[in-house]
């Protein structure tokens, strides 16, 4: 019984939706293109060239492209620095070298030991 009522309800909703679309939306859909064209013509009767200013858009896009290229260069430079630091820290020679002594008298001994 529940399935019968669900089927009737679905059919009723579908039929109502179809009738609402036909009676209320179809006239709007038929009139919309003409209304849109008229409104656009009224809005841009004087100067249609200012609406589609390709030069201004091109300038804005070129400016944005230049900024992005500069930012890319900065990011690549930073990435290169990190790669150098990573390579330096991960190399076996750096790990084997002890830190330099703080006492100035031991610096010469440290240099000699490091040169071996």
């Amino acid at each position: 019984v529940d399935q019968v009522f669900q089927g009737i309800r679905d059919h009723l909703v579908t039929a109502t939706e179809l009738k609402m679309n036909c009676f209320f939306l179809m006239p709007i859909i038929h009139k919309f293109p003409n209304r849109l064209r008229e409104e656009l013509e009224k809005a841009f009767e004087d100067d249609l060239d200012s609406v589609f200013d390709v030069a201004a858009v091109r300038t804005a896009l070129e400016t944005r492209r230049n900024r992005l290229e500069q930012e890319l260069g900065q990011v690549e430079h930073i990435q290169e620095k990190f790669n150098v630091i990573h390579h330096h820290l991960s190399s076996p020679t750096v790990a084997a070298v002890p830190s330099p002594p703080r006492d100035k008298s031991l610096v010469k001994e440290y240099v000699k030991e490091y040169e071996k």
Side-chain angles (χ1 to χ4, degrees):
V1 172
D2 194 31
Q3 289 178 349
V4 171
F5 282 117
Q6 185 177 4
I8 293 171
R9 184 179 62 215
D10 289 343
H11 177 70
L12 182 64
V13 167
T14 304
T16 306
E17 182 181 1
L18 181 63
K19 289 184 184 202
M20 292 289 283
N21 285 339
C22 286
F23 290 117
F24 294 109
L25 292 178
M26 291 306 286
I28 293 172
I29 290 173
H30 289 302
K31 293 177 184 176
F32 180 72
N34 292 332
R35 175 75 184 233
L36 180 64
R37 182 178 44 80
E38 291 170 2
E39 291 294 324
L40 284 174
E41 286 175 356
K42 274 195 275 184
F44 305 117
E45 279 179 348
D46 298 331
D47 192 16
L48 189 61
D49 293 334
S50 66
V51 175
F52 303 106
D53 191 6
V54 177
V57 173
R58 183 183 182 115
T59 305
L61 287 174
E62 287 175 350
T63 304
R64 184 174 178 200
R65 184 175 133 217
N66 291 337
R67 279 189 284 141
L68 288 174
E69 286 175 351
Q70 289 174 350
E71 186 178 345
L72 177 65
Q74 292 171 350
V75 169
E76 287 175 347
H77 181 69
I78 291 171
Q79 186 177 9
E80 185 177 317
K81 281 185 176 181
F82 277 114
N83 286 338
V84 168
I85 291 170
H86 174 72
H87 178 70
H88 182 69
L89 291 176
S90 64
S91 66
T93 58
V94 172
V97 175
S99 61
R102 294 181 184 220
D103 188 10
K104 291 185 179 183
S105 62
L106 299 175
V107 170
K108 289 182 181 179
E109 292 176 25
Y110 173 78
V111 170
K112 288 179 185 177
E113 197 174 304
Y114 179 73
E115 290 175 348
K116 293 179 184 179

